[in-house]
Amino acid sequence: MTDQHPPIDEMQYEQLAQDALRGVIRAALERAASPEGIPGAHHFYLTFKTRAPGVVLPNDVASKYPDEMTIVLQHQYWDLEVTDKHFSVMLKFGGAPKVLNVPFSAIVRFYDPSVQFMLQFDEPEVVEAEIAPLPTPVRDPEAAPAPAASGDDGEAKVVSLDQFRKK
C-alpha cells in the first residue's frame, strides 16, 4: 500500500472564504453608516473577542467583558465609521457614551434576527497582554490648583487666606 498524505491547502481557502464573508459584514455596516441608516426592521448583533488583536475598548468596558462581547446596532448608535479592516462606533453604557474600535477579524458571530441571517467565524488569536490604562486627561493648567508653597526646609507652609478676604 502507498502512504498518501492529504493535500496541503497552500491557497488557504478556508481563510479566504472567512475573509470574503467578513466582507458581507463590512458591506452591511457601510450601509448602516450611510445617512439612511439601517433599512427596515434590520438590526445587527455583532459578537467579537474583546482581547483579539486590534480591539480597542474603554477600560471599564474591557474589564466587564474580558473575553467576548455582543453589541446591538439598531436605533441607538452614533459615529459609525467603517474601513477595510475595522469599524468604530459609539454606544452608551450606563448612559455614558463609549467608543469601540473592532477589527473585522475579531468578529466571531454576526446575526440579523429580522431575516434570521447569521454568520459564524473561527475564533481569532487572543492577546493575553494586560489591558493598558487609558491616558489621564490633561486638565487646563489655569484650572489646576496652584502647588502648595513650601518653606526652605521642604515642608509645606501654611498660608493665611485673611489677606484675600474682602473686609
Side-chain angles (χ1 to χ4, degrees):
M1 289 189 111
T2 310
D3 276 336
Q4 289 187 342
H5 297 287
I8 297 172
D9 180 8
E10 293 182 39
M11 293 296 293
Q12 299 180 335
Y13 284 114
E14 185 64 34
Q15 186 60 49
L16 289 172
Q18 288 204 17
D19 291 345
L21 288 171
R22 282 189 169 94
V24 172
I25 299 170
R26 182 174 37 259
L29 291 179
E30 285 172 346
R31 187 153 181 200
S34 73
E36 296 80 32
I38 301 173
H42 291 279
H43 55 289
F44 312 137
Y45 285 73
L46 293 139
T47 303
F48 60 94
K49 291 298 193 178
T50 56
R51 293 190 186 269
V55 172
V56 179
L57 304 172
N59 289 338
D60 59 330
V61 174
S63 64
K64 190 171 181 181
Y65 302 95
D67 178 49
E68 193 174 273
M69 178 179 197
T70 299
I71 60 172
V72 179
L73 298 185
Q74 186 172 13
H75 300 297
Q76 296 188 354
Y77 64 93
W78 299 269
D79 301 333
L80 177 60
E81 293 182 19
V82 182
T83 71
D84 287 344
K85 301 282 184 194
H86 80 281
F87 71 94
S88 65
V89 65
M90 180 186 297
L91 300 171
K92 287 192 176 181
F93 293 85
K98 309 278 181 167
V99 176
L100 314 175
N101 292 292
V102 181
F104 291 110
S105 60
I107 297 173
V108 292
R109 276 182 303 285
F110 173 86
Y111 180 54
D112 183 341
S114 70
V115 292
Q116 300 297 305
F117 179 78
M118 186 167 102
L119 295 172
Q120 191 149 340
F121 301 94
D122 293 339
E123 293 195 9
E125 174 185 324
V126 174
V127 178
E128 292 298 329
E130 199 165 312
I131 299 168
L134 292 176
T136 305
V138 177
R139 293 189 300 168
D140 181 359
E142 294 179 7
S150 60
D152 292 337
D153 57 2
E155 289 186 35
K157 71 177 184 182
V158 178
V159 177
S160 172
L161 297 178
D162 291 338
Q163 62 186 354
F164 301 108
R165 293 190 180 143
K166 290 184 181 178
K167 297 185 180 184

